[in-house]
Amino acid sequence: MAADAGVIDLLGMLAYGELLAFDRMAADARLAPDLRRQALLAQMAAAEIGNYRRLADRLTALGVDPQDAMAPFTAALRTYHDNTEPADWPEALTKAYVGDGISDDFFREVARLVPTIALGDADRALVLDVLHHDDYAAFAAREIRACIAVEPGLADRLSMWARRLVGEALSQAQQVAQERATLTALLLDGAAGEAAEGLFRRLTSAHTARMTAVGLNN
Amino acid sequence: MAADAGVIDLLGMLAYGELLAFDRMAADARLAPDLRRQALLAQMAAAEIGNYRRLADRLTALGVDPQDAMAPFTAALRTYHDNTEPADWPEALTKAYVGDGISDDFFREVARLVPTIALGDADRALVLDVLHHDDYAAFAAREIRACIAVEPGLADRLSMWARRLVGEALSQAQQVAQERATLTALLLDGAAGEAAEGLFRRLTSAHTARMTAVGLNN
């Protein structure tokens, strides 16, 4: 059975997301104030590339060259990262915490909403499995709180930074949605049952909760 | 039993070497001509940070803060990398192939030469285990040959580049040897039995063989 074009898009987008997340997170590790923290962010980056490998292998097994599957998403994802390059360690942490949080929530919804007829159980499990682990967000949250504790004015700057991250992410997501009709159809088909607004409401409220948890304002 | 200061130095130097190799290799992956190769170098970088974790955990188990153990080596290793930043993909590959080749050979000799009384079996196995795998050098060698095949003049430039890598590595190694008396004593004690020249002869001849294997001149 030929794989659904929307599913190939989904796996390709996730794969390039992991590859680029590795690249940017490895660079952001240089912003760490000490070697222990640098190593921790480096390990998180390394986990992304492990996930990339699994997605690329799955695409290959489906008869698709991972490079071809990723190609439609390179411009949007690169633009997002180019426009949100952290200037220091707190910004790098906030980007990992806020950006990855929203993106994980989004893919979790996708895995839940897309009908089984399009996304088989194995691929659904793979999508869920490559999302970030809780200890990752916990580390970032702890570090952000610690940074704010020693420099209270930082909360305002990081709140603004987080809004910029969300704005850039939405802008690029819109680009992708317009250009990739099959992927958008796959997602909207799934979401249609309960209306797409429900999806956005849940994403927004989870984001707000994450912000509040580290002392940032939406 | 308190760990030998030379062994702590050895593990600390290896650990920082891995952490920095991750950092530089992750950055060098950007020089790759396509996403497949970029991902391959990224995966190699990820392997380094996995090894870092094992060394850092071992240092912690020995009652030593990994940051303290790494501190004496950060300047020398950073200087080496700062002075040998690859300008393009073939230079990045050659750096991985030549630089890691010599460094692996060196640590393999250390693991063989240092007496059991100083370096226990578990630590000796750990040192050997964090060295690079053969498929890593094989990938770099294949890529270098492929680059030279399409651009014959490249062999000369890469030969010069390799000599620079060796020169910088030796210069930094001398710095470390002068500053870290316990580490140097540990290595020279082991090598003394057959004279240190034997060690250097073997390292040099392995390096020459590696150069020849990819069409470069010593």
Side-chain angles (χ1 to χ4, degrees), chain B residues 69-122:
Chain B
M70 291 190 285
F73 307 102
T74 55
L77 285 165
R78 261 186 211 158
T79 303
Y80 167 72
H81 284 289
D82 285 346
N83 290 352
T84 57
E85 214 160 274
D88 55 17
W89 179 239
E91 287 194 3
L93 290 167
T94 305
K95 181 172 172 179
Y97 178 71
V98 168
D100 292 347
I102 292 179
S103 142
D104 285 354
D105 282 347
F106 172 73
F107 285 113
R108 216 170 271 124
E109 291 277 350
V110 168
R112 194 172 70 81
L113 293 174
V114 174
T116 311
I117 196 162
L119 189 69
D121 284 344

Side-chain angles (χ1 to χ4, degrees), chain A residues 23 30 35 43 53 67, chain B residues 23 30 35 43 53 67:
Chain A
D23 174 77
R30 295 186 181 185
L35 294 178
Q43 279 178 260
R53 185 73 267 155
Q67 297 206 70
Chain B
D23 174 76
R30 294 186 181 184
L35 294 178
Q43 280 179 261
R53 186 71 268 155
Q67 296 206 69

